[in-house]
Amino acid sequence: RRLAAAMGKIRPIMVKGHERALTMIKYNREGDLLFSCSKDHVPSCWYSENGERVGTYHGHCGTVWCLDVNFDSTKLLTGSADNMCKLWEVSTGECLHSWKHTAPVRCVGFALGDKKFLTVLDNIMGNVPTVFVWDLELDNLAEHPDCPLLTILGHTGKIGRALWGPLNECIFSVSDDTTLRVWNPTTGEQEHIIECHNKKITDVQFSWDQTLFVTSCTDQFVRLFRTKTLELLHAFNSERPLNSASISPLPHCPYFIAGGGQDAMSVTTTSAQQGKFETIFFDYAFGDELGCIAGHFGPVNTLSFAPHGRSYTSGGEDGYIRIHHLPEDYFDAFEKKASEAYGRELSSKK
């Protein structure tokens, strides 16, 4: 109840910098910059504190599906429906290199250390869903080989997201074929497969320390797993098709968020209340739903918690980015809830 009251105090910063639907948002490691891409071909960079635009990256001529920023926020990777993966200089907006693919690029990701990266190939135009692993030589881009180091095959449906696992020891991928798979990034062999989802999996995100990960699915469930053992810890029914989910990085706020809503094709005939376009908060320690934050006029396409845990950002089909700075009550709510549950006095802050 306290957390629901705190949510009512949140006044988001609404950023209208894209002309079309958002496809992905991502914070840099420090959390001071926010990167976004959409169906309008132009990825953008923003100050996460106030929503001020820092710059744009011009060069794609199709929907930009995905992006990733490296460890020290100097380089940006983007993947687009123009069949290109591009590497950018974050500070200047200069395109440093392009990798041509045979179909749209659905996902990109830097490996830890910036020595490799991955791209995901869409399964259209006669292609099969594929994860490519590439070498990355930032000091030798002029003579960079344009063929992948490794080709990973196995999914039978479109791959929605692929991520490097802890210490680059594995690659996680989720797909429309309802499976989550774990791959060996050296040999390309499949190491594990999870088949507990009932429909297409739309997103997978790690916690800040990569000990947990969360998946969103169009079967309306958001699921929390332990990374090391792939054990399913929680499954919550959100009562709406989900497009994205993200885990709070704060240990004293054991929450994750999920968002989606009625499919974009049907939105013109649906009110915001019926479409269920809110972002929902779940408590994975006590196993209950906490409340929701409304605002978007269409489905929520992408969500991300800031690395410092004091805010989160959502991107919608309506073209808006909404930056939510969380109130003080939010950070105390779990401790108060735990104290009441176990009959303890709340520890006073010094």
Side-chain angles (χ1 to χ4, degrees):
R1 200 179 297 118
R2 285 193 184 93
L3 194 55
M7 288 175 180
K9 300 177 183 177
I10 298 173
R11 295 290 175 265
I13 298 169
M14 293 179 64
V15 180
K16 181 61 173 171
H18 289 284
E19 296 172 4
R20 296 186 63 195
L22 270 292
T23 52
M24 191 172 184
I25 48 177
K26 182 128 188 170
Y27 284 90
N28 68 337
R29 186 171 176 82
E30 289 76 27
D32 60 330
L33 296 177
L34 183 69
F35 295 87
S36 64
C37 58
S38 79
K39 294 181 179 178
D40 67 3
H41 312 177
V42 185
S44 297
C45 178
W46 317 82
Y47 286 121
S48 62
E49 187 64 31
N50 56 13
E52 179 186 345
R53 175 134 59 183
V54 180
T56 52
Y57 303 88
H58 292 269
H60 282 297
C61 52
T63 294
V64 183
W65 288 117
C66 53
L67 50 74
D68 192 29
V69 60
N70 69 343
F71 187 89
D72 58 4
S73 307
T74 57
K75 302 291 186 290
L76 180 73
L77 271 176
T78 56
S80 170
D82 62 8
N83 300 1
M84 302 294 279
C85 168
K86 290 182 180 287
L87 178 70
W88 311 82
E89 188 70 47
V90 167
S91 57
T92 64
E94 178 191 359
C95 181
L96 302 175
H97 199 79
S98 298
W99 288 269
K100 178 77 174 170
H101 290 63
T102 56
V105 180
R106 279 283 172 175
C107 192
V108 294
F110 285 103
L112 191 63
D114 299 345
K115 299 294 185 188
K116 292 180 181 178
F117 70 97
L118 64 77
T119 62
V120 168
L121 191 70
D122 211 342
N123 60 331
I124 61 172
M125 298 189 291
N127 293 276
V128 293
T130 311
V131 179
F132 292 118
V133 177
W134 307 72
D135 265 329
L136 182 58
E137 301 174 36
L138 292 174
D139 301 327
N140 188 29
L141 287 171
E143 300 175 20
H144 203 287
D146 281 336
C147 55
L149 188 68
L150 181 68
T151 300
I152 298 174
L153 299 169
H155 279 295
T156 57
K158 182 183 78 179
I159 301 171
R161 189 76 69 232
L163 301 173
W164 290 92
L167 302 176
N168 302 338
E169 290 177 352
C170 55
I171 291 172
F172 288 72
S173 63
V174 295
S175 166
D176 287 9
D177 64 13
T178 75
T179 64
L180 182 149
R181 304 184 192 221
V182 183
W183 311 91
N184 185 312
T186 307
T187 65
E189 293 178 2
Q190 181 179 300
E191 296 183 341
H192 302 285
I193 182 169
I194 295 175
E195 298 180 288
C196 63
H197 302 79
N198 301 317
K199 290 186 178 179
K200 73 175 183 179
I201 309 170
T202 50
D203 195 15
V204 56
Q205 292 190 32
F206 283 112
S207 61
W208 177 243
D209 58 6
Q210 295 193 311
T211 57
L212 303 170
F213 67 88
V214 65
T215 63
S216 61
C217 184
T218 54
D219 68 2
Q220 306 191 358
F221 278 84
V222 54
R223 295 171 173 87
L224 184 73
F225 296 86
R226 183 170 282 119
T227 305
K228 190 171 184 179
T229 62
L230 303 180
E231 175 192 358
L232 176 62
L233 300 176
H234 285 291
F236 293 99
N237 186 354
S238 67
E239 299 178 352
R240 71 208 68 195
L242 293 173
N243 295 328
S244 190
S246 186
I247 305 175
S248 167
L250 299 176
H252 61 282
C253 296
Y255 311 137
F256 58 81
I257 54 176
Q262 187 181 13
D263 184 58
M265 298 285 285
S266 316
V267 165
T268 50
T269 60
T270 307
S271 70
Q273 288 79 19
Q274 291 173 321
K276 298 188 175 178
F277 306 137
E278 304 92 353
T279 298
I280 320 161
F281 280 70
F282 294 97
D283 180 334
Y284 62 80
F286 280 90
D288 53 11
E289 181 181 327
L290 299 170
C292 58
I293 296 176
H296 284 287
F297 303 110
V300 178
N301 288 343
T302 175
L303 289 167
S304 184
F305 257 110
H308 48 64
R310 296 191 300 275
S311 60
Y312 82 91
T313 300
S314 59
E317 188 74 21
D318 55 10
Y320 280 94
I321 300 168
R322 298 172 70 93
I323 303 171
H324 305 77
H325 293 293
L326 298 164
E328 282 303 314
D329 296 2
Y330 165 86
F331 304 102
D332 300 333
F334 178 74
E335 192 178 350
K336 289 175 181 174
K337 185 176 176 180
S339 299
E340 289 174 4
Y342 296 108
R344 293 198 301 259
E345 288 292 322
L346 189 64
S347 59
S348 57
K349 293 184 178 178
K350 294 180 180 179

